[in-house]
């Protein structure tokens, strides 16, 4: 194998991770996390995603992204280095070729706030940011789910169309322009992005929402500024919505169009030959060869057999691109490379049959962590065996000293030990873990952020973690933990008894004088927990609504009441999950009553308020061959077009549209409450068309269920994990968000007068690099106070010095950012 590029040295092929690199001067350069999702159209990038899968090997995907203005040399380096990265990961990753403006939905799903495509390239990309000079720009916002934010070459009406949204960004004044034919998601994402830009600028940027055709309604001063860049009487240059292109770009082709080609090396020459049209069978793929599956404009797949020649493997991607050119397909047609034994779900679904894997044993035998846990966990071996520590994501068994604080009123409030392991989704916590390594103390600081906690609480938690780190002279490791994304070691600190409750401050009430004069009330006398995980390393319990419809045949649930504790085990749960439920139940002194699905007595159903239908279908269990898939459906082009949603959750269901949940044995049509009449009336026909156009050759008699938003049966909700009945009612409407943004504006006469000329950036003080500030006082840049150099340090460099993420730092109020900088004497 060729020598590994140093840029890939931090990739651990045995654990989850997400990485991005850019090709700069023909070298692979890592991108900092705070810039993930930002791409320059003059460059080429490599993106690697490694994810855990329940009961299976790690799910690895390598994407190389090519900007429209990237050089052929850079594109070649990106493709070549992707192969090198593939070798590092044992040949298991799926490789994807991504082209600007035609990115796959899987790629876009990595960036839930959308990708940002900027003009220029590596050499010029950050120049104006570093120098504190802001250049006015026009940002194009396009896409229904994960929109693209692309910088236009110039601010001009002829760059715009009525079907999309745009942002005229002047630094201290921001004009979101909403096309008359744009979709609701684009509107909301545009306004949310503008609000984020304002927050990054200390809240000092004004936002004026401009509706397409209503530009004259801007107030006098705002209109005058807007017209310096876009003269209203010239808006007739704006293109029609159809000229801007469709938002849905993934088209399913009928099975008759799919074709299989063999790619075989003969006498040193690679020969491509048609094998057969679809539908295809797994038996058509031979391990001795490589194959190209031509799915028309939907793209091409390369399948590499285990016994394929080295040349076939190495040249596969280049040959596939050449194949597409010969077929006359557009240069942006998608190309995806997979290897035998590591095929992703969307590849398997091109075939009418795909053999099921062997049934798993007591634990998920292919999971490295589970295999380690089956034997006695010997923490003493971890420091002498780094490979094992990396494989289990553990530094020890969690038996060291644990201290926990909850964030309250910008302070850390210590928890009583009896409540360790209890977390509320509306709060933030700081945890200090002290353990022994070869006779010396070592530390880890975790700060846990609840999904419903406020930005102030999250910022304070990050700040407190930094101060706690400073108290221990920089020795601790700092770890940011987001609710539901807890690493194994974090959960091990609580001995398999970690619980996440709903709510936040409501869990604390004045009462008995305990810690800081507060008494912990807890979740109440009656509540239910859904237990997830297969060992003490991965186990946690999540509070779900106390009613029978919350049950799921694939899990274990623990119900607490004043007089009893029940453990309900679904037919699809594992023995390890039942064992973990016992640990969770041990938090109560009451006797545990074990209840098995199908053997419940009346008193059990009475506790849940009566028996109800719940998620119990056999098809909820993934057999490895046909797992459930969610699609976003549209007939905007006059024919069926679908877009797959990867790693879907409830929030992926779009209120404005119709979705299809393909459970293989049946198909669900979900109608969003704001979907249009045509889509609702045509949804049955669309579902039938979906079955007809499935390349795997589906049974046309497959059952089709039509359901409406808010009336979902548990047989549907069970596919989405924890289902929140109030999810959609909590969100802001477009008008509410628009008003909230307007309420945050300051009087326009207070806006800096040079905003219309680009001028100085929105920061209050000039910012410089560390090297520019580490000089003698007389050599400092003009305007820098020698006694307070810290506040002039670029935010990006400051964050890197103190291991703070972009989001953590920017969630802090501006006064806290300054205070944090002043607390460190760097010079």
């Amino acid at each position: 194998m060729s020598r590994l590029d140093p840029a890939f040295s931090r990739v651990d092929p045995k654990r989850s991770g997400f990485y991005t690199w850019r090709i700069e001067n023909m070298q692979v350069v890592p991108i900092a996390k705070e810039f993930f999702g930002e791409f320059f159209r003059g460059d080429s990038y490599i993106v690697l995603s490694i994810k855990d899968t329940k009961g299976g090997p790690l799910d690895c995907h390598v994407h190389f992204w090519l900007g429209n203005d990237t050089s052929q040399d850079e594109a070649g380096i990106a493709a070549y280095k992707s192969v090198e990265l593939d070798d590092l990961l044992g040949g298991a990753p799926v490789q994807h070729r991504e082209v600007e403006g035609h990115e796959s939905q899987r790629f876009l799903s990595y960036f839930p706030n959308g990708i940002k495509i900027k003009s220029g390239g590596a050499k010029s990309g950050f120049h104006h940011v570093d120098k504190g000079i802001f250049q006015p720009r026009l940002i194009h916002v396009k896409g229904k789910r994960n929109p693209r934010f692309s910088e236009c070459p110039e601010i001009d009406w002829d760059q715009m169309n009525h079907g999309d949204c745009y942002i005229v960004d002047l630094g201290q004044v921001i004009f979101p322009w909403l096309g008359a034919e744009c979709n609701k998601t684009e509107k909301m994402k545009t306004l949310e992005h503008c609000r984020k830009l304002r927050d990054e600028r200390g809240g000092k940027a004004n936002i004026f929402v401009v509706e397409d055709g209503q530009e004259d309604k801007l107030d006098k001063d705002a209109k005058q500024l807007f017209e310096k860049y876009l003269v209203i009487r010239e808006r007739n240059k704006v293109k029609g919505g159809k000229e801007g292109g469709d938002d849905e770009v993934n088209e399913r082709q009928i099975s008759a169009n799919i074709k299989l080609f063999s790619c075989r090396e003969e006498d040193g020459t690679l020969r491509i030959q048609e094998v057969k049209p679809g539908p295809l069978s797994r038996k058509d793929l031979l391990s001795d060869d490589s194959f190209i599956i031509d799915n028309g404009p939907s793209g091409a797949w390369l399948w590499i057999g285990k016994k394929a020649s080295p040349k076939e493997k190495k040249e596969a991607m280049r040959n596939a691109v050449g194949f597409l050119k010969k077929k006359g397909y557009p240069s942006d047609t998608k190309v995806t490379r997979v290897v035998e034994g590591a095929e992703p779900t969307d590849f398997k679904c091109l075939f009418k049959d795909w053999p099921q894997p062997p049934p798993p044993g007591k634990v998920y035998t292919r999971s490295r962590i589970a295999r380690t846990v089956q034997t006695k966990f010997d923490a003493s071996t971890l420091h002498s065996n780094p490979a094992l520590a990396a494989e289990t994501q553990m530094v020890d068994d969690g038996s060291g000293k644990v201290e926990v604080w909850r964030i309250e009123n910008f302070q850390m409030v210590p928890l009583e030990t009896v409540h360790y392991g209890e977390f509320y989704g509306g709060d933030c916590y700081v945890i200090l873990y002290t353990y022994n390594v070869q006779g010396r103390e070592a530390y880890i600081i975790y700060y846990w952020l609840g999904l419903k906690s406020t930005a102030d609480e999250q910022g304070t938690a990050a700040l407190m973690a930094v101060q706690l780190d400073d108290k221990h002279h920089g020795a601790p490791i700092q770890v940011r933990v987001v609710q539901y994304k807890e690493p194994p070691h974090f959960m091990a600190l609580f001995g398999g008894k970690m619980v996440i409750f709903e709510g936040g401050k409501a869990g604390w009430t004045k009462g008995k004088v305990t810690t800081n004069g507060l008494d912990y009330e807890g979740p109440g006398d009656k509540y239910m927990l859904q237990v997830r995980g297969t060992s003490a390393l991965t186990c946690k319990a999540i509070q779900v609504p106390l009613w029978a419809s919350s049950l799921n045949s694939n899990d274990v649930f623990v119900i607490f009441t004043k007089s009893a504790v029940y453990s309900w085990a679904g037919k699809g749960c594992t023995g390890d999950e039942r064992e973990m439920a016992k640990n969770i139940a041990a938090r109560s002194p009451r006797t545990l009553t074990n209840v098995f699905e199908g053997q419940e007595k009346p008193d059990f159903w009475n506790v849940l308020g009566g028996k109800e239908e719940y998620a119990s279908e056999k098809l909820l269990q993934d057999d490895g061959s046909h797992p459930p898939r969610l699609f976003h459906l549209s007939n905007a082009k006059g024919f069926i077009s679908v877009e797959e949603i990867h790693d879907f959750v409830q929030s992926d269901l779009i209120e404005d549209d119709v979705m299809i949940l393909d459970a293989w044995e049946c198909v669900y049509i979900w109608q969003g409450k704001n979907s249009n009449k045509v889509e609702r009336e045509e949804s049955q026909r669309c579902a039938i068309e979906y079955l007809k156009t499935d390349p795997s050759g589906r049974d046309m008699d497959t059952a089709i269920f039509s359901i409406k938003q808010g009336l979902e049966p548990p047989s549907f909700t069970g596919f989405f994990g924890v289902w929140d009945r109030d999810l959609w009612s909590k969100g802001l409407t477009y008008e509410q968000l628009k008003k909230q943004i307007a309420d945050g504006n300051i009087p326009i006469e207070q806006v800096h007068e040079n905003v219309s000329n680009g001028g100085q950036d929105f920061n209050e003080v000039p910012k410089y690099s560390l090297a520019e500030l580490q000089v003698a006082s007389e050599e400092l840049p003009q305007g820098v106070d020698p006694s307070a150099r810290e506040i002039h340090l670029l935010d990006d460099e400051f964050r890197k010095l103190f291991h703070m993420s972009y989001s953590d730092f920017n969630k802090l109020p501006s006064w806290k950012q300054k205070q944090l900088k002043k607390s460190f004497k760097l010079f």
Side-chain angles (χ1 to χ4, degrees), residues 43-45 64-68 70 74-75 78 97-100:
D43 292 329
S44 296
Y45 293 75
F64 58 98
W65 184 91
L66 309 178
N68 287 341
T70 191
E74 285 183 331
R97 176 177 177 268
E98 308 283 355
V99 178
E100 179 190 334

Side-chain angles (χ1 to χ4, degrees), residues 208-222:
F208 297 98
V209 179
V210 184
E211 303 275 3
D212 186 357
Q214 300 182 31
E215 294 83 1
D216 283 322
K217 292 185 178 181
L218 286 168
D219 66 46
K220 181 181 177 182
D221 292 328

Side-chain angles (χ1 to χ4, degrees), residues 268-287:
T269 302
L270 286 166
R271 299 178 64 85
I272 298 176
Q273 185 175 359
E274 183 175 343
V275 177
K276 61 175 291 191
L280 307 179
S281 169
R282 172 62 179 87
K283 296 177 182 178
D284 297 329
L285 304 177
L286 307 177
S287 296

Side-chain angles (χ1 to χ4, degrees), residues 342-378:
E343 298 91 347
T345 296
D346 36 358
F347 177 82
K348 294 177 183 178
C349 289
L350 296 172
F351 295 77
K352 65 181 180 182
D353 60 350
W354 196 275
Q356 297 182 16
K362 182 181 179 182
V363 296
Y364 306 106
T365 54
R366 288 189 291 169
S367 169
R368 298 180 176 93
I369 293 177
R371 189 166 60 238
T372 303
V373 174
Q374 278 301 98
T375 59
K376 185 177 185 300
F377 187 80
D378 185 1

Side-chain angles (χ1 to χ4, degrees), residues 196 335 517 593:
K196 181 181 177 183
V335 183
T593 300

Side-chain angles (χ1 to χ4, degrees), residues 686-716:
C686 289
I688 293 172
E689 185 72 10
Y690 166 79
L691 291 172
K692 185 191 300 183
T693 60
D694 193 321
S696 62
R698 293 293 288 279
D699 183 351
M700 294 304 298
D701 293 329
T702 299
I704 300 174
F705 296 82
S706 292
I707 58 178
K708 294 182 173 63
Q709 180 182 346
L711 300 173
E712 300 87 356
S715 56
F716 176 83

Side-chain angles (χ1 to χ4, degrees), residues 477-491:
I477 298 169
Q478 287 188 43
V479 184
R480 177 178 180 268
V481 180
V482 178
Q483 183 178 340
Y484 300 146
K485 302 292 184 181
E486 296 83 5
H489 185 259
F490 180 88
M491 289 185 280

